Amino acid sequence: MCGIVGYTGHRQAAPLLVEGLKHLEYRGYDSAGVALIADGRIDIFKTAGKIAALEKELAGAHPTGRTGIAHTRWATHGVPNTINAHPHTDCGGTLALVHNGIIENAGVLRAALSRRGHTFRSETDTEVLAHLIEELHSKGDGRPLVESVAGALVQIEGTYGIAVVSTREPDTIVAARRGSPLLVAIGNEENFVASDASAVLAHTRSVVYIDDGEIAVVRPRDYRILDVGAVEKHKAVTHLEWDLGTIERGGYAHFMLKEIMEQPNSLRDTLRGRLLEEEGTARFGGLNLTDEDLLKIRRIVITGCGTSWHAGLIGEYMMEELARIPTEVEYASEFRYRNPIVDDHTLVIGISQSGETADTLAALREAKRRGARTLGLINVVGSSIAREVEGGIYLHAGPEIGVASTKAFTSQIVALAMLTLKLGRLRSLSILQGREVVRALARLPELVERVLQNAAAVEHIAERLLRAGNVLYLGRGYNFPVALEGALKLKEISYIHAEGYPAAEMKHGPIALIDDLMPVVFVAPRDAVYQKIVSNIEEVKARGGRVIAVVTEGDTGLAKLADQRIEVPETLDLLTPVLTVLPLQLLAYYIAVRRGCNVDQPRNLAKSVTVE
Ligand code: AGP
């Protein structure tokens, strides 16, 4: 969950590397560092904390060097401090390396290397790799850097995205991946390596994605991609759609607020060119599964983590209600290790905004290994999961920088609704039902606009929850997962403990928590289970609970019952989550801002979780 970037070319590397790191900071921000090659030596600069500290240190040092690598860290092994910050070097300071991933057999290797006289400076797993490369590159028969890196990599277990430099090949960066994202970005007389495109978009839009087991040798005027057998591979150059502007804050105080307010447009982009009103269905360009293939599907397993898992729960309700296909939702981290029962009549759908979440990637690989058909609902184009599955649906929601996922969630729900339409219309869903869903989907962006125009009302309610110690979120049917999502948003950015529950579950325990100090947020639109949730609200009121309710516009009934209410427009039951989640995103945002929390980079979290 770290970010790495490297540069080799005609310009001074340090400012380019720092700028690249800033765009990767959402991946981890415990410490940062750079290694620069200049005049036959490696200069290393490392600081604990945010990249701003590193930038300040570099400003004072005026370093030179036209080749360098850099890293922003999310600690897994070794506490966040300057010593454990990357880059790490070998004993002689001949080479330096940055790493994103986990070396699972680092302990064993470290002991063996120590016995062979190597001196370790840090507690990290990563430093082991620097000494392994040293054994082949700087000691012994002094092999070329790429061969030494390859020789070292075969000895380690675990995941990596790495970049390595050496004083013996001063304008060369060797980069390699297994499990962690990495790309080469091609410039004019200069080249970059990076964990993702956001670090290089200011300089180029031409990138080559590195796959598992591949090694890249990058120099100012050329680059080579080799496979595990050191055979050269000719890989396609991808031209990126996103421009720098889309990943800047665009005048908003935080990326999270920008991304919440972007949802009318991100939803339009997710829907664009996919709705077929006449046929009452949807079409996708990259599904890579024929209608015949889809008709053979007898069971669906949706898998993902965090917010993506919540979207999966809504997809389950949709698939079973409209497509009539038995559907289960699995935490990816559990699915991959529990000997799952899948076969070639099972469709395993992996949902992931980043497309890099290690557990979801591994769950899909396990499903494939067992013969299941696989699809990905992914936002980041060209990401590892997108390249692992048979086919998929890109969300086209644009880059999501804020660690708390918002616009990706609503786009995931809409993409699942369109996939449900496609699968349902191939089965028993009538053309009239299909058309009704298509029309409701097409109207969603303007309804979302209406809810967001009412943000001030949510801000007012947020003021009253600032000092809450705990909050309960309750919903039913399609809005039970929304209650889970609302609680997750509040937890991850304001650090207030919150729990989401199916409202009827209250009576089986949690209702004991209710008193006048426990705010309860009900997600209660006028849907098929409306009457049931009204009774649940009455149960909470009867015990003195404070009720905030998300209700359908004009719902005067609940107006009397709830202490505060937030109105959302009416839509079809299966699409209500796209509207009811918006006030919950805003509520968490305003509370966190008022509590002085770092909304875009909450403590202990990172945007894409690329380790187990
Ligand atoms: C959500 O706000 C969190 N950032 C987190 O739970 C996230 O949803 C989870 O890590 C999955 O990420 P993905 O969608 O990129 O796979």
Side-chain angles (χ1 to χ4, degrees), residues 44 51 138 154 165 177 203 250 306 327 378 438 470 507 541 556:
I44 304 267
I51 290 160
S138 335
V154 290
V165 290
R177 76 157 277 173
H203 310 289
T327 302
I378 311 293
V438 167
N470 304 283
K507 296 189 284 298
K541 288 305 294 174
T556 49

Side-chain angles (χ1 to χ4, degrees), residues 305-308 351-355 357 403-405 488-489 492 609:
C305 306
T307 289
S308 294
I351 304 181
S352 176
Q353 185 290 125
S354 62
T357 300
V403 167
S405 187
L488 176 63
K489 290 283 95 76
E492 67 179 321
V609 184

Side-chain angles (χ1 to χ4, degrees), residues 375-491:
L375 277 183
L377 254 70
I378 311 293
N379 191 38
V380 177
V381 173
S383 56
S384 306
I385 295 177
R387 288 179 285 122
E388 186 68 36
V389 288
E390 287 178 78
I393 300 170
Y394 278 130
L395 300 181
H396 298 305
E400 190 177 68
I401 308 288
V403 167
S405 187
T406 52
K407 63 177 180 176
F409 181 63
T410 49
S411 282
Q412 286 164 347
I413 299 169
V414 160
L416 284 163
M418 291 192 284
L419 183 59
T420 302
L421 264 182
K422 168 93 183 158
L423 292 165
R425 290 286 293 122
L426 286 174
R427 290 170 169 78
S428 56
L429 188 68
S430 74
I431 192 163
L432 291 180
Q433 287 173 296
R435 285 182 182 152
E436 188 192 10
V437 176
V438 167
R439 283 193 290 270
L441 280 165
R443 283 200 63 223
L444 267 184
E446 79 190 62
L447 299 183
V448 168
E449 245 148 26
R450 244 159 71 193
V451 177
L452 296 175
Q453 278 151 10
N454 190 23
V458 181
E459 192 168 6
H460 179 65
I461 294 173
E463 291 289 341
R464 309 173 74 152
L465 293 177
L466 293 186
R467 271 165 289 291
N470 304 283
V471 180
L472 268 178
Y473 288 75
L474 302 175
R476 295 184 79 129
Y478 282 107
N479 288 285
F480 153 51
V482 175
L484 293 175
E485 179 59 11
L488 176 63
K489 290 283 95 76
L490 190 69
K491 276 184 274 203

Side-chain angles (χ1 to χ4, degrees), residues 45 92 102 237 260 349 353 380 419 556 569 605:
F45 301 88
I102 290 183
V237 176
I260 290 174
I349 303 173
Q353 185 290 125
V380 177
L419 183 59
T556 49
L605 283 178

